[in-house]
């Protein structure tokens, strides 16, 4: 049995100066590099949207950034355009130790569905393939860090716990967007699913 570190979306668009900047997003890079030492496997996720993605407010002329709309798969927050494929904003932070990546999972690449979780798209049924990757490598302990605590980290951690992985979120190595109390809700939901919060 092995343990993996999953580093969530440490990309320039989520760092200060980026299109969907998370306050302090760049401050956790060094700590995450340190944390990698103790793991059998390290996996990175990369938010990877095509231009005109349906999660962008710009794709919905009647709506504003941060509006919540009803999509065929459920409610969806509308974001500023971010992490567009092959742009500099979609690149990983240059200080991140990418050499340790055993695998990089891209997500959100289908125009019509967003994907917060590293395991399933927001329709909650389309898998990214990460579960199979981890299981075939005999990994049962997952540790998560990255951006953003209340969206991609929380959705990934909750799916991981539901899939039966022992799941820990390193909260001091995550930063939040915090829209309308989303951080508090995310922390509560993670605890409810049995996710260990390691502060
Ligand atoms: C994320 C909003 C939109 C995240 C990604 O990485 O938390 N949030 N796309
Ligand atoms: Zn996104």
């Amino acid at each position: 049995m092995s343990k993996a570190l999953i580093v969530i979306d440490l990309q320039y668009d989520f760092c200060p100066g980026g299109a969907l900047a998370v306050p302090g997003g760049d401050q956790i890079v060094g700590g995450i590099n340190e944390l990698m030492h103790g793991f059998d496997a390290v996996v990175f996720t990369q938010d990877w949207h095509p231009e005109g993605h349906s999660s962008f407010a710009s794709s919905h002329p009647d709506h504003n950034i941060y509006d919540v709309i009803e999509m065929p798969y459920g409610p969806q927050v509308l974001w500023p355009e971010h992490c567009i494929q092959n742009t500099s904003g979609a690149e990983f932070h240059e200080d991140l130790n990418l050499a340790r990546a055993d695998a990089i999972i891209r997500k959100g690449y289908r125009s019509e569905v967003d994907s917060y979780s590293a395991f399933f798209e927001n329709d909650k049924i389309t898998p990214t393939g990460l579960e199979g990757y981890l299981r075939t490598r005999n990994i049962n302990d997952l540790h998560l860090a990255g951006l953003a605590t209340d969206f991609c980290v929380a959705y990934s951690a909750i799916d991981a716990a539901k899939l039966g992985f022992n799941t820990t979120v390193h909260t001091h190595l995550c930063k939040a967007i915090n829209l309308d109390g989303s951080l508090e809700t995310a922390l509560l939901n993670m605890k409810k699913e049995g996710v260990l919060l390691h502060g």
Side-chain angles (χ1 to χ4, degrees), residues 164-184:
F165 293 98
N166 299 320
T167 309
T168 302
V169 169
H170 292 253
T171 49
H172 62 299
L173 294 176
C174 298
K175 296 285 180 182
I177 296 173
N178 208 5
L179 276 184
D180 295 330
S182 57
L183 177 58
E184 202 182 333

Side-chain angles (χ1 to χ4, degrees), residues 4-11 14 42-49 83 85 90 92 98 101-109 115-121 126-137 142 147 152 156:
L5 175 64
I6 316 285
V7 180
I8 306 288
D9 297 0
L10 249 179
Q11 296 164 258
F14 298 123
V42 181
V43 176
F44 292 73
T45 67
Q46 188 173 25
D47 213 35
W48 192 248
H49 299 307
C83 296
Q85 296 169 6
F92 290 110
L98 270 181
D102 291 354
I104 296 173
I105 295 285
R106 287 177 167 165
K107 59 184 183 60
Y109 46 72
S115 187
Y116 295 151
S117 166
F119 292 94
F120 296 100
E121 296 185 354
T126 308
T128 62
L130 179 58
E131 180 192 1
Y133 178 82
L134 296 170
R135 291 208 197 282
T136 51
R137 289 197 57 187
L142 297 186
L147 305 171
C152 291
S156 299

